């Protein structure tokens, strides 16, 4: 660490080679090895950095594949008590749907038209929606190191782009507060994909939350949080209606990690929800208890092969499932005017093979199934299948190319089904 301080005091700017996004996207910064070579540092005349501050800024082991990596630029104050990291990436994607198209920039299999719609046979698309910039500040306080993180995202199509907040949170010790990935979601176990939403049955959600996540030991970590509830219902006119949610969602997990830098892990997660609605005929408010469990993780078998897996089942957890979020499946109408929470089963699995340090290929498969929705009729969503294969090549420092094929099938309760296919290519420059 003394060498780091001496280096920072001796030079105002340090530019190096590059920490490009290669096959192993789960990485942990080694504070003993010094600053990453790619980082550019602007510092005052008496800068001092500690190992803990460095670890917060350059630890990327808990990130999803599509999250930006460590910051490219680092600014330090004169006392060495505050550090500001800036990073992100510019990403452009072009796609072509054939033999069935989805009228969406993403690839939600829920939106595959059933029966087949001739007007959605083919589609060309292009977007820079998911380019991102983030700021991360770390400051020493009397209570410990305080980290603040803000990440933007770009939205809109056909040239009408805007900027939105994707994440905004503060972290002090084991406590995190703000808008970030739900505790019920296991980010690092997500499949590598160009298609931004990912597999139809993947657990994926960002909430405003208050989380406590201590490390019980070197290998064991637990977390519990209270999260802002959001739900969507399918109701019958004049029978029931949605009302404000009264109780926060409460997810928790326990995780065991192993391997270099804790790069492999297995996680058991659970969530409890209180879903409120009002019966208009009786004039009374009611609630239904929703719950879910998930087993997820990834395993680095060796330097060449990584396995990813997620399996989840629950009732009333559509908010957390890629294909079903916002589609009215948290609660649906049932017999006798009662609302019920349909069951959901999601299975996701995949593998990544590292050809060399600059090239990797991956593939994955997902099944998503909804139960207890017979009252919705024959054209209601029953299940979806999602398959993906892709390749990513880093041909220059921080410059990555990707190509991908995605196939999706939607099947309804009456047995009717339809499919969609997409080929897409990506160009991304990280900074």
């Amino acid at each position: 660490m003394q060498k780091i301080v001496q280096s920072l005091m001796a030079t105002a700017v340090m530019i190096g080679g590059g920490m490009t996004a290669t096959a192993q996207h789960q990485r942990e910064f080694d504070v003993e090895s010094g600053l990453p070579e790619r980082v550019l540092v602007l510092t005052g005349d008496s800068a001092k950095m500690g190992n803990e501050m460095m670890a917060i800024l350059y630890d990327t082991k808990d990130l999803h594949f599509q999250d930006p990596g460590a910051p490219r630029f680092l600014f330090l104050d004169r006392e060495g008590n505050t550090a500001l990291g800036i990073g992100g990436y510019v990403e452009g994607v072009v796609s072509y749907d054939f033999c069935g198209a989805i009228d969406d920039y993403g690839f939600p299999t829920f939106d595959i038209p059933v029966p087949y719609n001739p007007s959605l046979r083919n589609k060309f698309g292009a977007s820079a929606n998911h380019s991102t910039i983030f700021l991360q500040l770390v400051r020493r306080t009397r209570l410990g190191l305080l980290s603040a993180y803000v990440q933007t995202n770009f939205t809109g199509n056909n040239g009408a782009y805007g900027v939105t907040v994707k994440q905004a949170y503060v972290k002090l010790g084991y406590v995190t507060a703000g808008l970030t990935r739900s505790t019920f979601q296991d980010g690092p176990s997500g499949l590598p994909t160009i298609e931004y939403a990912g597999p139809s049955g993947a657990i994926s959600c960002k909430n405003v939350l208050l989380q406590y996540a201590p490390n019980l030991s070197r290998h064991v970590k637990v977390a519990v949080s209270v999260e802002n509830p959001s739900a969507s219902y399918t109701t019958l006119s004049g029978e029931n209606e949605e009302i404000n949610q009264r109780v926060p969602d409460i997810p928790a997990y326990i995780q065991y990690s192993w391997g270099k830098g804790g790069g492999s892990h297995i996680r058991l997660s659970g969530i409890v929800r209180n879903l409120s609605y009002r019966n208009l005929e009786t004039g009374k408010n009611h609630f239904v208890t929703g719950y879910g469990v998930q087993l997820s993780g990834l395993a680095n078998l060796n330097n060449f092969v990584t396995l990813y897996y997620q399996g989840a089942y629950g009732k009333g957890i559509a908010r957390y499932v890629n294909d079903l979020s916002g589609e009215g499946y948290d609660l649906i109408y049932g017999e006798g005017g009662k609302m019920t929470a349909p069951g959901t089963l999601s299975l996701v699995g995949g593998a990544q093979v590292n050809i060399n340090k600059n090239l990797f290929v991956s593939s994955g498969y997902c099944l998503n199934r909804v139960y207890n929705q017979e009252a919705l009729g024959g054209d209601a969503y029953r299940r979806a299948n999602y398959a993906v294969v892709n390749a990513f090549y880093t041909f220059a420092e921080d410059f990555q190319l990707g190509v991908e094929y995605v196939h999706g099938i939607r099947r309804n309760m009456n047995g009717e089904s339809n499919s969609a296919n997409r080929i897409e290519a990506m160009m991304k420059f990280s900074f």
Side-chain angles (χ1 to χ4, degrees):
M1 194 63 214
Q2 184 178 1
K3 294 181 180 179
I4 298 174
V5 176
Q6 291 174 349
S7 176
L8 292 174
M9 295 176 65
T11 62
V13 178
M14 179 175 63
I15 306 177
M19 279 197 335
T20 54
T22 58
Q24 286 299 110
H25 66 269
Q26 282 82 24
R27 304 182 302 276
E28 182 176 27
F29 172 68
D30 182 3
V31 295
E32 300 300 328
S33 65
L35 283 165
E37 290 182 350
R38 80 189 291 266
V39 68
L40 181 149
V41 181
L42 300 178
T43 176
D45 54 11
S46 61
K48 296 180 182 179
M49 285 199 70
N51 286 11
E52 293 178 342
M53 189 178 292
M54 297 283 288
I56 291 175
L57 284 166
Y58 293 101
D59 180 7
T60 61
K61 67 179 183 299
D62 290 330
L63 299 183
H64 186 278
F65 173 77
Q66 292 170 342
D67 289 335
R72 170 69 172 181
F73 301 96
L74 177 62
F75 299 86
L76 309 176
D77 69 353
R78 293 180 181 277
E79 292 76 23
N81 290 324
T82 303
L84 175 65
I86 302 175
Y89 58 76
V90 177
E91 179 184 85
V93 177
V94 294
S95 63
Y96 186 74
D97 291 9
F98 62 98
C99 297
I102 297 179
D103 192 19
D104 194 295
Y105 168 69
F107 198 84
T109 52
F110 187 95
D111 291 341
I112 297 176
V114 178
Y116 171 73
N117 183 352
S119 68
L120 287 175
R121 179 180 178 183
N122 302 88
K123 177 190 174 184
F124 176 83
S127 177
N129 273 11
H130 297 292
S131 300
T132 185
I133 298 173
F134 74 88
L135 305 175
Q136 184 173 14
L137 183 142
V138 181
R139 180 175 177 81
R140 298 183 189 278
T141 71
R142 294 180 180 179
L143 299 178
L145 290 176
L146 176 68
S147 174
Y149 185 92
V150 177
Q151 182 188 358
T152 66
N153 203 29
F154 295 85
T155 61
N157 286 304
N158 301 320
Y161 287 95
V163 179
T164 62
V165 174
K166 187 175 182 181
Q167 295 191 85
Y169 63 86
V170 294
K171 185 174 182 179
L172 179 63
Y174 296 136
V175 178
T176 301
L179 174 64
T180 187
R181 182 175 292 120
S182 171
T183 303
F184 192 51
Q185 179 183 354
D186 185 356
S189 70
L191 297 182
T193 62
I194 296 174
E195 195 273 301
Y196 198 76
S200 57
I203 300 298
S204 179
C205 181
K206 287 183 174 64
N207 285 331
V208 176
L209 56 77
L210 178 63
Q211 180 195 73
Y212 179 63
N215 295 311
L216 299 185
S217 69
R218 180 181 177 184
H219 300 286
V220 180
K221 180 179 181 179
V222 298
V224 62
S225 64
V226 290
E227 305 189 3
N228 185 51
S230 178
S232 64
Y233 303 162
T234 299
T235 61
L236 283 176
S237 177
E239 190 173 81
N240 295 293
E241 69 175 0
E242 298 183 31
I243 60 175
N244 294 330
Q245 300 302 306
R246 304 174 177 180
V247 180
D249 294 349
I250 305 177
Y253 72 73
I254 181 170
Q255 174 177 299
Y256 179 81
S257 302
W258 71 94
K260 183 178 180 181
S264 301
H265 75 261
I266 184 170
R267 177 185 294 188
L268 179 63
S269 308
I271 188 171
V272 177
R273 311 188 70 197
N274 185 294
L275 303 169
S276 302
Y277 71 96
R278 182 173 181 81
N279 187 289
L280 298 176
E281 294 181 354
T282 63
K284 295 182 178 180
N285 296 338
H286 302 272
F287 71 90
V288 177
T289 299
Y291 67 89
V293 293
Q294 178 182 210
L295 184 67
S296 60
L298 73 161
N300 295 313
L301 302 185
N302 48 47
N303 292 331
F304 302 100
V305 180
T306 301
L307 300 181
Y308 303 87
Y309 55 92
Q310 297 179 4
Y313 178 79
K315 290 190 174 184
I317 60 169
R319 164 82 170 93
Y320 293 85
V321 180
N322 258 350
D323 232 21
L324 302 177
S325 181
E327 301 294 347
Y329 277 77
D330 288 299
L331 288 183
I332 60 175
Y333 57 81
E335 296 180 357
K338 293 183 178 180
M339 300 287 287
T340 63
T344 301
L345 172 67
S346 301
L347 300 173
V348 184
Q352 175 180 308
V353 179
N354 308 324
I355 307 301
N356 55 48
K357 67 177 183 179
N358 293 323
L359 174 65
F360 74 90
V361 297
S362 74
S363 63
Y365 173 80
C366 172
L367 167 67
N368 190 50
R369 174 76 160 87
V370 177
Y371 300 89
N372 317 116
Q373 79 282 43
E374 291 82 4
L376 299 185
D379 60 351
Y381 174 104
R382 182 180 183 184
R383 75 164 189 260
N385 301 86
Y386 175 105
V388 61
V389 59
N390 50 43
F392 294 87
Y393 178 62
T394 303
F395 77 99
E397 179 184 349
D398 299 321
F399 212 143
Q400 189 177 61
L401 300 177
V403 61
E404 179 171 271
Y405 167 67
V406 189
H407 175 72
I409 301 174
R410 168 176 167 154
R411 185 175 297 274
N412 288 348
M413 290 295 295
N414 58 14
E416 290 187 327
S417 65
N418 191 24
S419 62
N421 300 271
R422 176 171 294 180
I423 293 178
E424 50 194 341
M426 176 207 73
M427 181 173 63
K428 178 164 69 175
F429 178 75
S430 300
F431 57 88

